[in-house]
Amino acid sequence: IRDAEREHFSLDVFKAACNYFVKNNMMDEALRSFGLLADAYIKVDQKNNLHRVVLSRVILLLNKPDLVAARKTHTDAMSNVEGYLLSDESAAADKLLDAFDHGDEDELKAAFTLAAFSFIDNSVLRVAKSLTITAVTQESNLC
């Protein structure tokens, strides 16, 4: 029981760290922390929370902006994370990525009406709602 309690306590610490880094615009650190949080969710078998972490990582990568890494994160999760393919979070990430692929600002805004966005951390949701197609596509064209 002691190890299980320790794992659950670590989840709170990782979540707090993720939120701190996002709120302070330290996105590389936030992405690393979300990676650690994902590992912790795997250990305690919390698939739904793991799906939210994947969606959060996709959002933060789009914010960098790194469309290629965001798509890779989503694609890898579809094949490696149990239940992600059929999850609301996967559908939401698909909508976001499709909006960027099509360069459609309206499609991007429509994606935020999906239920999965109600369950991600507020700090990440604020980042998501600040995304713009032009910022990501212009950065991608520079590379």
Side-chain angles (χ1 to χ4, degrees):
I1 291 176
R2 201 121 169 109
D3 285 339
E5 288 174 1
R6 194 171 301 138
E7 290 294 334
H8 283 283
F9 176 72
S10 71
L11 295 175
D12 293 336
V13 173
F14 286 132
K15 281 183 75 169
C18 292
N19 282 319
Y20 173 82
F21 291 134
V22 172
K23 285 178 184 174
N24 290 287
N25 204 28
M26 302 166 73
M27 296 307 170
D28 289 332
E29 291 83 357
L31 285 164
R32 276 191 292 279
S33 294
F34 273 113
L36 295 171
L37 183 59
D39 292 342
Y41 281 139
I42 289 168
K43 285 182 183 177
V44 296
D45 195 33
Q46 290 190 11
K47 294 176 190 71
N48 290 336
N49 286 326
L50 179 56
H51 300 165
R52 291 179 191 124
V53 167
V54 174
L55 176 57
S56 296
R57 289 182 56 119
V58 168
I59 290 166
L60 295 180
L61 287 165
L62 288 172
N63 183 63
K64 274 189 84 161
D66 192 341
L67 184 57
V68 173
R71 173 133 342 257
K72 182 177 180 342
T73 297
H74 176 60
T75 304
D76 288 350
M78 286 193 297
S79 55
N80 298 324
V81 175
E82 185 181 339
Y84 179 74
L85 180 63
L86 301 175
S87 70
D88 290 343
E89 290 78 11
S90 177
D94 262 338
K95 281 284 220 187
L96 286 177
L97 293 166
D98 285 348
F100 283 99
D101 288 343
H102 301 136
D104 188 341
E105 205 67 52
D106 292 331
E107 191 176 349
L108 176 65
K109 299 304 177 204
F112 299 129
T113 63
L114 296 173
F117 288 100
S118 322
F119 301 108
I120 62 172
D121 291 324
N122 284 334
S123 59
V124 176
L125 184 59
R126 276 192 287 281
V127 170
K129 289 188 174 182
S130 73
L131 292 173
T132 61
I133 299 291
T134 53
V136 174
T137 54
Q138 284 176 353
E139 187 73 23
S140 296
N141 290 337
L142 295 175
C143 297

